[in-house]
Amino acid sequence: MLRVLLLAGLAVGCTTDTLAQDSSRLRISLLTCTPGAELYSIFGHSALRVTDSNSVTDHVYNFGTFNFNDEGFYLKFLRGKLNYMLSLDHYEDFKADYIAQNRGITEQVLIFSPEEKLNIRRALNENLKEENKYYLYNFFLDNCTTRLRDIIVNNHEPAPALPYAMRAGSTFRDGLHKYQDLSDRPWTKLGMDLLLGTPADDVMTPAQQSYLPDNLMYSLAGVKNTPIISSTENLYTFEPQANSKVIFTPLVFFTALLLLYVLLSLSEKVFLKKLLAGLDGSLFFAVGLFGIIFVVMWVGTDHYMMRNNYNLLWAWPMHTVYAFFINRNSKRVRTYSLLTAVFLLLLLCSWFFLAQEMHNALIPLIVLMIYRSIVRFYSPQRREIRGVSRRDDRII
């Protein structure tokens, strides 16, 4: 009997010690979700799970929520003025949603003092209020993952020193490429590289690398200066899907386009010469349109990472005008053609030394533009194409 009482007293004492150690009765953990199939989800996702054993609640705080029905949604997105918001989900609903999407979930239980846990939950609930839950989303600097990083770092004493999750010297663009290459999305990679300017090539600090969910998870796991992770668990392991390799990549497309122009130029048939003349106009008009888009995204939006876009070195907006006069044998057109060829040749020579990383799939396109500009400069005197087939009037 005495032995039983001693054991019971020891158990009560241990329980009392445990409660004294964590009077908050809260468990806070970081949830990191693997990339999804949709474009907006290919970089993964992060959320914060708060379990309260007092009220028997299990909630997920999610800073990655947006409203498709928001008035002017697409215009706000293009202008960089789209608000995201903090939302609250039941953990089981959150988990079921990601399992349905076949997206893995990893949980890292975070080490905080009872007071720190209470402060975090208090701050999260304050941010849930209607007047506080919205924030201006910035994919690189203020997103669903960086907000959680700041909560974790700013509420832990001492503040954890986040180590590098990628190699030192990595840029914001490198972080994007890592995911785009893994998901085999060459056209998405090209599109983002076209729109992003020199700020995307800034070297990231260790903390800045955690704008990507996986990077934050790896950084927290590698913290050395203070305990921050008590345990890690895979809540759901996704089933790998067999995806077909993309064959028709941007490099293949632009190389094929270059070869098509070369083959057409070798023909002596008049209708093919006419076709080639029309293709020249279409080529430079399309390139000029891209230049206009780059200018609009640079000066007409709040997308900081789209400023100082070096793609304007080949995508001149003036090409849209040049395209309508490209088949005219005038001094101005020939001069413009020569300047285009010379400038693009210099651009190719400095391609790998620019302050902005350029997409290599564009090289065949640049070569094509040089080729057609030289052709336009050296084309012999001719009348406008009206079916004339004399040797002196042919267009290469």
Side-chain angles (χ1 to χ4, degrees):
M1 184 66 179
L2 179 61
R3 186 177 179 181
V4 173
L5 291 174
L6 287 173
L7 290 174
L10 181 61
V12 171
C14 289
T15 304
T16 304
D17 288 342
T18 302
L19 292 175
Q21 289 175 6
D22 192 352
S23 57
S24 69
R25 293 294 190 99
L26 297 177
R27 178 179 178 272
I28 298 180
S29 58
L30 176 69
L31 303 179
T32 303
C33 307
T34 59
E38 301 298 329
L39 179 59
Y40 67 85
S41 65
I42 65 172
F43 301 104
H45 184 53
S46 299
L48 208 61
R49 179 184 180 186
V50 179
T51 306
D52 187 341
S53 57
N54 273 328
S55 58
V56 196
T57 57
D58 196 353
H59 290 135
V60 174
Y61 292 81
N62 183 359
F63 280 97
T65 309
F66 55 89
N67 183 8
F68 272 119
N69 298 320
D70 189 8
E71 184 177 354
F73 174 85
Y74 292 104
L75 182 60
K76 290 178 180 178
F77 175 78
L78 289 173
R79 295 180 62 199
K81 297 182 180 295
L82 181 63
N83 282 327
Y84 272 52
M85 64 181 178
L86 172 63
S87 63
L88 187 67
D89 300 313
H90 291 289
Y91 165 70
E92 291 300 333
D93 293 338
F94 179 90
K95 182 179 179 181
D97 184 33
Y98 278 82
I99 290 176
Q101 298 177 51
N102 189 33
R103 297 176 64 180
I105 308 173
T106 300
E107 181 179 41
Q108 293 170 300
V109 179
L110 302 168
I111 299 175
F112 291 105
S113 69
E115 183 180 1
E116 289 169 345
K117 292 180 182 180
L118 292 171
N119 288 338
I120 289 172
R121 186 175 64 172
R122 190 178 301 114
L124 288 171
N125 289 333
E126 183 67 22
N127 275 277
L128 274 175
K129 294 180 179 179
E130 185 67 24
E131 63 271 21
N132 299 328
K133 66 180 181 179
Y134 297 98
Y135 70 100
L136 188 61
Y137 182 81
N138 183 308
F139 179 78
F140 295 96
L141 303 175
D142 192 3
N143 64 25
C144 59
T145 301
T146 63
R147 293 230 155 190
L148 300 184
R149 174 202 65 199
D150 294 343
I151 288 172
I152 294 169
V153 171
N154 295 337
N155 286 280
H156 192 279
E157 185 61 38
L162 298 180
Y164 284 108
M166 300 172 61
R167 62 174 177 79
S170 296
T171 65
F172 290 98
R173 196 186 302 269
D174 291 333
L176 296 181
H177 288 174
K178 169 183 161 185
Y179 282 82
Q180 291 159 346
D181 292 339
L182 285 174
S183 60
D184 194 23
R185 293 174 180 263
W187 288 98
T188 300
K189 183 177 180 179
L190 172 64
M192 290 189 174
D193 276 348
L194 288 177
L195 291 173
L196 294 173
T198 55
D201 294 285
D202 290 343
V203 174
M204 296 182 288
T205 65
Q208 287 174 330
Q209 288 188 354
S210 63
Y211 80 91
L212 293 165
D214 277 353
N215 285 357
L216 178 59
M217 179 177 68
Y218 296 143
S219 288
L220 291 176
V223 168
K224 302 296 185 184
N225 69 312
T226 181
I228 188 69
I229 302 294
S230 66
S231 64
T232 301
E233 181 183 359
N234 290 325
L235 300 178
Y236 175 72
T237 302
F238 73 99
E239 295 292 334
Q241 301 295 316
N243 296 322
S244 57
K245 185 76 174 177
V246 177
I247 303 299
F248 198 62
T249 64
L251 180 60
V252 171
F253 172 76
F254 289 125
T255 301
L257 188 63
L258 173 60
L259 293 176
L260 174 64
Y261 269 83
V262 172
L263 291 174
L264 288 176
S265 68
L266 294 175
S267 174
E268 295 295 330
K269 295 182 179 180
V270 175
F271 82 93
L272 290 180
K273 298 296 183 182
K274 292 180 180 180
L275 174 62
L276 195 56
L279 288 175
D280 279 347
S282 300
L283 170 66
F284 282 92
F285 184 77
V287 170
L289 278 181
F290 274 104
I292 292 173
I293 292 172
F294 299 155
V295 171
V296 170
M297 298 305 290
W298 177 350
V299 302
T301 73
D302 292 340
H303 293 293
Y304 169 75
M305 290 289 180
M306 295 182 183
R307 298 175 185 174
N308 306 324
N309 192 341
Y310 276 43
N311 283 298
L312 282 166
L313 294 177
W314 59 269
W316 301 353
M318 278 299 296
H319 287 334
T320 55
V321 178
Y322 171 61
F324 289 99
F325 301 94
I326 195 170
N327 292 309
R328 293 192 181 183
N329 185 34
S330 70
K331 183 177 180 181
R332 289 184 179 179
V333 171
R334 290 163 66 85
T335 300
Y336 188 93
S337 299
L338 177 61
L339 288 174
T340 300
V342 171
F343 191 86
L344 291 180
L345 277 169
L346 293 174
L347 175 61
L348 274 187
C349 292
S350 58
W351 190 259
F352 297 102
F353 305 99
L354 298 172
Q356 175 177 323
E357 181 181 344
M358 307 293 278
H359 200 294
N360 291 335
L362 295 171
I363 292 178
L365 175 62
I366 307 299
V367 172
L368 174 59
M369 293 172 64
I370 294 172
Y371 166 49
R372 298 314 300 172
S373 297
I374 292 174
V375 166
R376 290 300 159 190
F377 175 72
Y378 280 110
S379 292
Q381 296 291 327
R382 64 191 183 277
R383 294 189 297 272
E384 290 186 27
I385 302 173
R386 292 176 182 171
V388 179
S389 59
R390 291 210 313 264
R391 185 76 181 175
D392 290 342
D393 291 317
R394 288 179 181 169
I395 297 175
I396 298 177

